[in-house]
Amino acid sequence: MKSLWNDEEAKKIAHDPLQMRVYTSRLIGREPSLVLHGGGNTSVKAEVTNVFGETEEVLYIKGSGWDLTTIEAEGFSPVRLDALKKMAQLDELSDTDMVRAQRVAMTDPEAPNPSVEAILHAIIPFKFVDHTHADAVVAISNTEGGEERIYSIYGDSVIVVPYIKAGFILAKKIFEMTRNIDWSRYEGIVLLNHGIFSFHDEAQTSYERMINLVSKAEEYLEQRGAFRSVAVESRPAPAAPLLKIAQLRKEVSSAAGTAMLARLNSSEEARGFANLPDVESIVTRGPLTPDHVFRAKHIPMVISRDIPGVVKNFVDEYRK
C-alpha cells in the first residue's frame, strides 16, 4: 500500500486542522481495502472560540452517514472534548444515552450524529486519529491464532484489544487498558476482528502510520501465498443474459416492495470469481467483521437456474 500524501496539496491547508482532517480522510477513503463505503472514521482535536469569547477544546469526528471518500468539513461533528472524556469515566452508559449525551455536547446542533466511537477517539491523546476496517489486518486477526499472528507482525508497537462491539463498552475497555501507559511507545491500536487505529499530532504521520501498519499486514499475507488472481483470460465478456437479469430484477423488486435496478459486473475478475468451483462456500461464510454487516449485509445471494426459488429462500433466511 502506497501513501497518497502530496506536499503541494497539503501546504495549501496546513493552517487549518479541520481542512487537513478532510484531506487525509479522503486519502484513506480512496483506498477500498481500507474502508467499505461509509466505514471507518477519523477525527481531529482543535480549539475553537464560542459565542462568549471562551476557548473550548473540540473533537471533530466523522459524522454518521458520511463517506470518507467524499467527506467535507460539514461531515465532521464538533463535540466538546471534556464531555467525551467524562463519559469514558462513567461505569455504565447505554448506547441510547451515549448518543443523546454526545448530541448534547455538540457545539453545532445541525451537524450529523457523531460516530459511536467518538469517546474512543477522545481518550487517545493525539490530535489526529485514524480508524479503518483494513481488510488485511482483519483477515489476519480472524484467522486461527490471529492474536499471536498480530503480535508476530507488530510486536509491542501496537495495543491489541479483544473484540468488543463499537460504542461505550469498547471505549471503556481501552480507557482502562491505557490508564497508565506511555502512549508515545505505540503507533496504533489493533481491534481484533474489527480494525486498526493510528494516531499522531501531525496529520501526515498519523495517515502514513496507517498505510505502513496495513502494509505490514499485506506483506505478511503475501509471504504466505494468501493473494492470488482470479481473473479469467482476457477476452470479450459473453453476451449478458438479459432475460435472466430481467427476471432477477422482477423477483427482487417484488420481494423489496419497490422497483429495483440490476447492474451486471462482467469484468475479468468478476467472471473469474463467479466461476470458482467453491464460490458459494466462499461468499456464504459471512463478512470479515461485524462492522461490515452494515455495508455488505450478512451474505450475498447466489443465483442458480431457479431464480424465483433462490430469491424466496434468501428473503426467508434474511428475515430469520
Side-chain angles (χ1 to χ4, degrees), residues 226-232 235 267-285 302-303:
F227 295 114
R228 64 188 174 110
S229 173
V230 297
V232 297
R235 59 178 182 271
S267 67
E268 294 168 12
E269 290 79 9
R271 285 183 284 139
F273 183 74
N275 284 313
L276 290 174
D278 56 347
V279 65
E280 187 165 3
S281 169
I282 293 172
V283 301
T284 55
R285 294 175 190 178
V302 182
I303 304 300

Side-chain angles (χ1 to χ4, degrees), residues 227-259:
F227 295 114
R228 64 188 174 110
S229 173
V230 297
V232 297
E233 293 180 12
S234 181
R235 59 178 182 271
L242 298 179
L243 188 59
K244 288 186 177 180
I245 292 175
Q247 185 182 18
L248 174 63
R249 184 185 172 206
K250 174 181 179 294
E251 296 295 334
V252 172
S253 297
S254 296
T258 187

Side-chain angles (χ1 to χ4, degrees), residues 160-177:
V160 179
V161 182
Y163 180 78
I164 301 171
K165 191 182 76 159
F168 174 76
I169 299 175
L170 174 61
K172 184 69 176 179
K173 174 68 175 178
I174 295 178
F175 176 72
E176 292 171 348
M177 287 178 64

Side-chain angles (χ1 to χ4, degrees), residues 11-83:
K11 191 189 306 181
K12 300 173 185 175
I13 53 173
H15 64 286
D16 188 331
L18 182 55
Q19 286 302 324
M20 185 62 75
R21 178 69 283 175
V22 171
Y23 174 64
T24 53
S25 298
R26 287 185 169 193
L27 296 185
I28 289 172
R30 284 162 58 182
E31 178 50 70
S33 60
L34 287 178
V35 294
L36 287 176
H37 171 74
N41 42 66
T42 57
S43 69
V44 62
K45 299 174 180 75
E47 290 187 345
V48 298
T49 303
N50 63 24
V51 294
F52 306 108
E54 301 164 337
T55 299
E56 293 183 303
E57 280 193 291
V58 168
L59 177 80
Y60 286 97
I61 186 161
K62 195 199 86 164
S64 297
W66 280 80
D67 183 353
L68 290 179
T69 311
T70 56
I71 195 164
E72 302 282 357
E74 57 263 34
F76 287 90
S77 305
V79 191
R80 292 180 179 89
L81 191 59
D82 61 345

Side-chain angles (χ1 to χ4, degrees), residues 85-127:
K85 289 181 177 179
K86 286 179 182 178
M87 290 181 212
Q89 299 177 44
L90 296 174
D91 292 330
E92 294 181 358
L93 188 64
S94 70
D95 287 346
T96 302
D97 288 341
M98 180 187 72
V99 170
R100 184 181 296 114
Q102 288 182 173
R103 281 211 65 84
V104 170
M106 289 169 56
T107 61
D108 180 359
E110 297 182 356
N113 277 336
S115 165
V116 296
E117 290 172 325
I119 299 174
L120 176 49
H121 282 250
I123 63 174
I124 296 175
F126 292 93
K127 187 171 182 176

Side-chain angles (χ1 to χ4, degrees), residues 122-136:
I123 63 174
I124 296 175
F126 292 93
K127 187 171 182 176
F128 291 89
V129 178
D130 299 336
H131 171 46
T132 74
H133 303 147
D135 292 345

